[in-house]
Amino acid sequence: MQNFFTRSKMPLETTKSKQSPLQKLNALDKIDGDLMEVFETAALIANVQGKDYISTTTFVQALLHCSPGKIPELFQKLPEGSLPKGPQLEALDETAGSDLLDGMESFSPCINSALNNLLLQPAAERPISSEDVFVDIARYSGGKSTMLLRSKGVTKEKVESMVTDLGWELIEREEEFHVYD
């Protein structure tokens, strides 16, 4: 009988998920290309860090690296030090991101909550963007990355004010509840 603390002797390939976290959520055709690039870059960062999941911090680090869509406009409005620092990514082979994303086991609870809630919105007439996911996390999550924002004075109300000032139209979740990772 195997002890609870004993590692499995199964090869790594057989213990890995056959589906990426996006496939598990049935979200591949519901996100835009920029968000896919962010998730692929996050998979690269997670791989370099030896992780098999994409944390919210890793997601934000990938956003900082990719600077997709209108995200830089929002990031410029945030106080200094309110986003997690990321690793230097210049040396990474960014073509490997797609394969690495397939090997990721999961997303953080905050990312899962944002995607699950945004995917439920029937009125969404466009794919989910990086802006939609980041703003949802910044508004409703309670994980480490969101706590860093809060520690710098970035409240849910302040995020909403910034989004309004920028004139963004986002896919919105209907119910408000908090997720902690």
Side-chain angles (χ1 to χ4, degrees):
M1 181 170 187
Q2 188 173 8
N3 182 316
F4 175 79
F5 296 104
T6 306
R7 292 181 151 246
S8 168
K9 301 212 187 268
M10 294 180 67
L12 188 58
E13 302 83 54
T14 60
T15 60
K16 286 283 185 194
S17 170
K18 299 282 187 221
Q19 293 184 315
S20 75
L22 289 171
Q23 290 168 321
K24 290 176 188 175
L25 291 170
N26 196 25
L28 283 174
D29 61 340
K30 297 174 182 123
I31 65 170
D32 71 14
D34 285 345
L35 183 53
M36 179 59 85
E37 179 185 353
V38 169
F39 282 132
E40 289 172 353
T41 302
L44 282 168
I45 296 168
N47 186 59
V48 166
Q49 296 171 341
K51 299 177 183 173
D52 64 352
Y53 65 95
I54 295 176
S55 68
T56 306
T57 297
T58 304
F59 175 74
V60 173
Q61 291 168 344
L63 283 171
L64 287 165
H65 177 74
C66 296
S67 297
K70 300 181 264 183
I71 282 288
E73 296 172 49
L74 179 63
F75 284 0
Q76 289 174 355
K77 290 182 167 286
L78 296 173
E80 184 72 30
S82 60
L83 296 172
K85 300 272 187 256
Q88 297 297 86
L89 300 176
E90 292 81 23
L92 293 177
D93 176 11
E94 294 193 27
T95 61
S98 177
D99 292 338
L100 289 173
L101 182 58
D102 289 342
M104 292 288 119
E105 287 293 317
S106 63
F107 292 133
S108 72
C110 295
I111 296 171
N112 274 332
S113 174
L115 285 172
N116 279 322
N117 281 285
L118 296 172
L119 287 167
L120 290 174
Q121 302 314 310
E125 295 180 11
R126 63 170 175 75
I128 296 169
S129 69
S130 301
E131 294 88 354
D132 297 319
V133 175
F134 177 78
V135 170
D136 189 273
I137 290 169
R139 283 177 172 159
Y140 301 112
S141 295
K144 289 183 231 172
S145 294
T146 308
M147 291 296 99
L148 180 57
L149 285 170
R150 300 291 182 264
S151 74
K152 300 296 182 178
V154 182
T155 62
K156 177 186 175 195
E157 293 75 22
K158 194 169 236 176
V159 171
E160 289 174 1
S161 175
M162 289 179 199
V163 168
T164 301
D165 290 348
L166 291 167
W168 289 2
E169 290 186 31
L170 298 171
I171 298 172
E172 305 272 351
R173 70 166 63 188
E174 286 187 24
E175 292 184 31
E176 180 179 336
F177 62 94
H178 301 278
V179 176
Y180 303 91
D181 70 5

